[in-house]
Amino acid sequence: MKFVIGLDYGSDSARAVIVNAQSGEIIASSVKNYPRWSEGKYCNPAINQYRQHPQDYIDVLEASVKDALHRCPRWMAKEVAGIAFDTTGSTPAFTDATGTPLALLPEFAENPNAMFILWKDHTAVKEAAEINRLCSTWKTDYSSYEGGIYSSEWFWSKALHVLREDRAVREKACSIVEYCEWLPALITGVKSSREIIRSRCANGHKAMWHESWGGLPDEKFLVALDPLLKGFRGRLFEKTETADKPVGRLSPEWASRLGLSTDVIVAGGAFDCHMGAVGAGITPHTLVRIIGTSTCDVIVAGYEEIGSRLIPGICGQVDGSVIPGMIGLEAGQSGFGDIYAWFKRLLEFPLKKILAETTLVDAATKAQLMDEIAERIIPALTEEAEKVPVSESTVIATDWMNGRRTPDANQLLAGTVDGLTLGTTAPRIFRALVEATAFGSLAIVERFLREGIRIDRVTGIGGIALKSPFVMQTLSDVLNMPIRVCKTEQACALGAAMFAATAAGLYGRVEDAQEAMSPGFDREYVPNAENAKAYRAIYEKYIKLGKFTEQMTMNK
């Protein structure tokens, strides 16, 4: 009996799972929050700056794996055959020649520009616009396999922004690494940036890497974009690998730190949504929606089905980014659960400003009241919003509070709410926000269908999919499609475990690991025909509001 470890690095925390490689049973798990991130360090939401310190990643790696193993019989650690990471992305950082992220060097320890730039950091909007302009006039459109619109959330935009902003980083930086590439390199003892195995998933979707033009964009293109990029292409890489292939074994240092053997195989890294789709049992013609703070929508298709077709306005189509031997297609929304969290924070203002300062109750009672009320806001909103008939959904919102990822990326966009009156209540606004996230999902589905991508079924994974019947039923009604919900909340970590098992040689293909280790489904939401018809008309209003919003943005 062999076991594997899947590590899922999300926006706020990392989860380690110990998995039976034969059955897919999760034996133990442990979740650890990033300590510095939890304190709000190195971030400035006012300018959409979100940075994470690499030491956070190291701290939770050791803590989560050791804690998960502590929950297992002691003999089990000796039977761990493989380990794999999935992470957020694009989340790059500059490194020195050894492949060490600059923030781990003493002189850069408190410099946000030397840290990993989280996926939702939108400080590079200007740079993304410049990349798009150059792609549109260059002899090769390097954005063509990434939907034709390059985003501020991605590799080159972020790298260029930091190079322009920070002289110290500019003078020290030798290379750039994605989060999902660095962690495997760290625990296998890589000592040179050139030796880091590069992720097909990360670089195909976010760094404009494609075999047809020899890997990364040409040096002349990068220098034309900005001379500050001169030399980086030569110091980066030419080849990428799919995540089912081993990148090495645990180094003696990390075997000791984690309580494992140096025989443990380390798989290649990939993004959370792509491994999550595998963990949810993705097959051709299945749209897997990873629903969390944002969403990522993933489909796989055969080479014959895609042919030479390029799908505009999505987040890329990459050979082997999800399942080797298939084209992985990615789309998504920049805000989903984050939008509900924003509204919750809005309603928490009296708690944090008035109740927190009151002298009518003692400190302990205040703390208890604040915690209880904050915890009950979303459930109470949901309960009341569910009572509103679809016919009375007169408040219309867009889901662009964090910009728009797809279709057609535009991070300059902001959210809008229309139809407010003196009679509008908080539950009605909440319902409009839920409907907005569903309408944004429908816009993605319609883009795929319009481009000839067949969708037979939808699968939802993540905390919202499992915990919010109201959101999921609304989504089913708006899409007018059934939605199956993956049984486990840990689909991303389980997907990483499937890649670990494949890289360790326990399975010949990722599909074989899926078949043996798949968790199955928890429930299925079926659309209400009457609601689906009503939502179609409301969706047209959403589209009109979106066009108005976009036009106003362009006119600023």
Side-chain angles (χ1 to χ4, degrees):
M1 187 178 294
K2 291 293 181 181
F3 301 87
V4 287
I5 298 176
L7 282 149
D8 170 35
Y9 274 70
S11 296
D12 301 320
S13 61
R15 179 189 302 273
V17 296
I18 314 296
V19 182
N20 182 320
Q22 291 175 297
S23 66
E25 178 189 0
I26 295 176
I27 307 299
S29 68
S30 176
V31 179
K32 301 296 181 183
N33 291 323
Y34 308 131
R36 295 159 189 81
W37 171 264
S38 298
E39 295 175 16
K41 288 186 173 182
Y42 317 119
C43 298
N44 184 352
I47 60 169
N48 289 310
Q49 175 183 300
Y50 297 96
R51 309 293 166 85
Q52 292 184 326
H53 202 294
Q55 190 62 48
D56 268 358
Y57 302 159
I58 293 172
D59 291 347
V60 299
L61 167 60
E62 189 168 1
S64 63
V65 171
K66 290 172 72 173
D67 185 40
L69 286 170
H70 182 71
R71 300 166 188 262
C72 302
R74 292 184 64 181
W75 59 266
M76 202 172 283
K78 296 180 180 179
E79 302 302 326
V80 172
I83 187 169
F85 295 90
D86 72 68
T87 74
T88 66
S90 177
T91 303
F94 283 97
T95 76
D96 65 8
T98 70
T100 302
L102 297 186
L104 292 178
L105 305 178
E107 64 269 35
F108 291 100
E110 297 298 316
N111 184 342
N113 290 324
M115 300 174 188
F116 282 91
I117 309 169
L118 190 64
W119 63 270
K120 67 179 181 178
D121 185 297
H122 291 165
T123 53
V125 170
K126 176 177 178 288
E127 286 75 15
E130 292 175 29
I131 292 172
N132 285 313
R133 282 195 295 271
L134 189 58
C135 282
S136 68
T137 59
W138 204 258
K139 60 182 178 180
T140 300
D141 181 358
Y142 291 115
S143 70
S144 59
Y145 285 91
E146 298 185 341
I149 302 176
Y150 203 74
S151 170
S152 65
E153 293 184 349
W154 299 349
F155 185 93
W156 289 112
S157 303
K158 291 175 171 177
L160 180 54
H161 178 76
V162 169
L163 288 174
R164 287 173 170 175
E165 187 173 80
D166 197 309
R167 183 184 184 90
V169 168
R170 185 165 69 240
E171 291 177 348
K172 184 67 175 180
C174 174
S175 188
I176 315 167
V177 69
E178 278 282 359
Y179 184 6
C180 68
E181 300 166 334
W182 176 65
L183 286 168
L186 173 73
I187 65 173
T188 54
V190 169
K191 299 300 182 184
S192 168
S193 62
R194 292 183 180 274
E195 294 177 6
I196 296 173
I197 303 299
R198 301 297 183 153
S199 165
R200 174 73 53 82
C201 174
N203 294 294
H205 282 285
K206 313 300 183 187
M208 298 190 287
W209 182 95
H210 199 270
E211 284 184 322
S212 66
W213 49 69
L216 294 170
D218 185 78
E219 173 80 357
K220 292 180 179 178
F221 172 88
L222 295 174
V223 172
L225 181 60
D226 194 307
L228 291 176
L229 291 170
K230 183 178 181 180
F232 273 98
R233 189 187 193 281
R235 297 194 298 270
L236 284 167
F237 54 91
E238 293 182 3
K239 295 182 178 180
T240 63
E241 299 290 351
T242 53
D244 60 317
K245 296 184 179 174
V247 301
R249 297 177 185 271
L250 272 183
S251 69
E253 176 194 353
W254 276 98
S256 175
R257 290 176 71 167
L258 298 178
L260 295 169
S261 162
T262 54
D263 292 330
V264 174
I265 296 292
V266 181
F271 290 154
D272 46 9
C273 54
H274 299 74
M275 283 192 171
V278 170
I282 192 170
T283 57
H285 310 130
T286 297
L287 175 67
V288 176
R289 309 207 73 229
I290 297 86
I291 306 173
T293 55
S294 64
T295 75
C296 190
D297 300 287
V298 177
I299 305 176
V300 294
Y303 301 138
E304 301 79 11
E305 181 179 353
I306 296 296
S308 59
R309 190 184 329 166
L310 294 171
I311 313 302
I314 63 171
C315 300
Q317 51 192 84
V318 180
D319 185 2
S321 65
V322 183
I323 294 178
M326 298 183 193
I327 303 295
L329 304 167
E330 178 196 343
Q333 293 164 269
S334 293
F336 200 96
D338 265 350
I339 294 175
Y340 312 152
W342 160 77
F343 192 55
K344 176 176 177 283
R345 289 195 302 273
L346 202 67
L347 298 180
E348 284 178 339
F349 174 80
L351 293 181
K352 296 184 175 179
K353 184 61 181 175
I354 301 173
L355 180 57
E357 297 176 0
T358 186
T359 57
L360 296 176
V361 293
D362 61 79
T365 303
K366 274 195 294 188
Q368 290 177 336
L369 279 172
M370 290 172 66
D371 289 345
E372 180 181 356
I373 294 171
E375 187 177 329
R376 293 180 60 181
I377 287 175
I378 293 295
L381 287 170
T382 298
E383 183 180 351
E384 293 303 312
E386 284 181 308
K387 298 175 183 178
V388 179
V390 175
S391 60
E392 295 181 20
S393 290
T394 54
V395 180
I396 310 294
T398 61
D399 55 314
W400 301 337
M401 277 69 168
N402 196 26
R404 184 178 64 211
R405 183 178 297 162
T406 51
D408 306 319
N410 187 341
Q411 300 304 339
L412 290 173
L413 293 175
T416 46
V417 182
D418 179 58
L420 298 176
T421 71
L422 293 177
T424 302
T425 62
R428 286 178 181 268
I429 295 175
F430 180 69
R431 184 179 183 100
L433 296 176
V434 171
E435 291 170 345
T437 54
F439 293 145
S441 308
L442 178 56
I444 292 169
V445 168
E446 289 200 330
R447 175 60 58 89
F448 278 127
L449 295 176
R450 191 186 79 191
E451 297 299 325
I453 302 301
R454 182 175 138 203
I455 301 175
D456 291 344
R457 62 193 71 86
V458 178
T459 297
I461 69 172
I464 290 176
L466 280 166
K467 296 176 182 177
S468 181
F470 171 53
V471 171
M472 296 307 296
Q473 185 61 56
T474 302
L475 184 59
S476 177
D477 291 346
V478 168
L479 296 181
N480 198 18
M481 299 178 74
I483 302 175
R484 298 181 304 179
V485 176
C486 187
K487 186 176 290 185
T488 178
E489 192 175 343
Q490 303 171 16
C492 292
L494 182 59
M498 292 175 183
F499 277 94
T502 307
L506 304 179
Y507 295 99
R509 305 180 309 154
V510 170
E511 296 96 313
D512 299 332
Q514 278 184 299
E515 185 175 350
M517 300 170 69
S518 179
F521 300 97
D522 179 69
R523 70 192 80 170
E524 183 175 33
Y525 292 92
V526 179
N528 177 299
E530 184 178 337
N531 287 351
K533 183 179 179 180
Y535 273 134
R536 189 68 214 183
I538 300 172
Y539 176 66
E540 297 304 320
K541 296 179 182 178
Y542 164 87
I543 294 294
K544 289 179 181 178
L545 179 60
K547 289 179 178 178
F548 172 78
T549 302
E550 198 153 8
Q551 187 63 48
M552 292 295 290
T553 300
M554 292 171 62
N555 291 338
K556 284 183 179 179

